[in-house]
Amino acid sequence: MLKKFKALTQRWQPKQIPTYERQVRLIAGQPYVLRQLANDDIKTLILLQKEVYAGNMPWTRSAFLSEFSSPMRHLYLCAEDKGKVVAFCGCRIHGADGHITNVAVLPAFQGRGLGSLLLEEVEDFARQNHCETLSLEVRISNRDAQRLYRKLGFVSRAIKKGYYDETNEDALDMVKFLEDGN
């Protein structure tokens, strides 16, 4: 009986969450450190969100803690400039979909390619996890982000009414279809 119980519980144990190797990437000759986020970064992420979202804080400390400790396969990355977190992005695997949960780049660093770089990294993560799609929601009012996502191959799928709790703003649901071998 004990053997059967052990076999059953082993099947339900969460998969090991992969680690991301810290690396330096150049964008227009400027070095940025890409690394995996950890619980120690949450205070910084909350402050970054406040700056990016004009004082609003879409994710709380508990939301980040829940996401970072989730048994679901996920990857949360940041880009650092001279030791300061200037951008971050997260992706969670749901079956055959890599869902992008959050993307934020400090206003002073927008337009430099950091968002694209982080999105490419989470796309690679989704492909490594055999995902067929990459999905996200974006505020209807955020035209700049929508342009970036379209440039990266995302297409509009639907409008989610009142998606954002704090403002009741609608979200545009977007998807990128990941083809084998690309």
Side-chain angles (χ1 to χ4, degrees):
M1 180 69 168
L2 184 58
K3 274 186 181 180
K4 285 182 183 178
F5 180 73
K6 281 184 180 178
L8 181 63
T9 58
Q10 285 175 347
R11 269 192 274 167
W12 294 105
Q13 292 195 358
K15 294 179 180 174
Q16 178 82 16
I17 303 301
T19 56
Y20 181 88
E21 292 293 323
R22 178 186 172 100
Q23 55 185 286
V24 176
R25 300 285 286 276
L26 292 177
I27 300 177
Q30 174 69 34
Y32 294 94
V33 172
L34 297 185
R35 66 171 177 82
Q36 193 164 348
L37 289 164
N39 290 352
D40 292 346
D41 295 306
I42 293 174
K43 184 177 180 181
T44 299
L45 299 178
I46 288 170
L47 293 173
L48 189 146
Q49 283 185 118
K50 284 183 179 180
E51 190 170 338
V52 170
Y53 299 113
N56 290 326
M57 194 175 69
W59 278 34
T60 62
R61 176 176 171 68
S62 61
F64 281 113
L65 282 170
S66 175
E67 208 48 39
F68 290 176
S69 64
S70 171
M72 298 178 78
R73 293 183 73 73
H74 61 271
L75 180 64
Y76 280 82
L77 299 176
C78 72
E80 292 179 330
D81 177 51
K82 300 176 181 113
K84 177 183 177 186
V85 175
V86 297
F88 74 95
C89 182
C91 179
R92 178 186 332 117
I93 305 299
H94 281 281
D97 179 56
H99 185 73
I100 296 170
T101 58
N102 212 324
V103 181
V105 180
L106 285 174
F109 288 85
Q110 291 176 4
R112 297 184 186 190
L114 287 170
S116 295
L117 177 61
L118 290 171
L119 287 164
E120 289 166 5
E121 292 296 308
V122 297
E123 181 177 330
D124 287 346
F125 172 72
R127 287 180 187 280
Q128 291 165 11
N129 283 277
H130 312 290
C131 290
E132 297 170 5
T133 57
L134 199 55
S135 66
L136 57 83
E137 293 86 19
V138 59
R139 291 177 188 277
I140 288 290
S141 63
N142 194 343
R143 301 283 186 208
D144 290 338
Q146 291 173 37
R147 272 191 291 280
L148 170 64
Y149 300 142
R150 284 191 178 93
K151 180 179 144 192
L152 295 174
F154 287 82
V155 295
S156 300
R157 188 163 51 178
I159 292 178
K160 294 183 176 183
K161 296 284 185 191
Y163 182 80
Y164 294 97
D165 290 336
E166 68 278 4
T167 60
N168 202 38
E169 185 175 354
D170 296 344
L172 182 61
D173 180 29
M174 300 185 82
V175 65
K176 180 175 183 175
F177 296 95
L178 305 177
E179 298 175 18
D180 290 337
N182 288 338

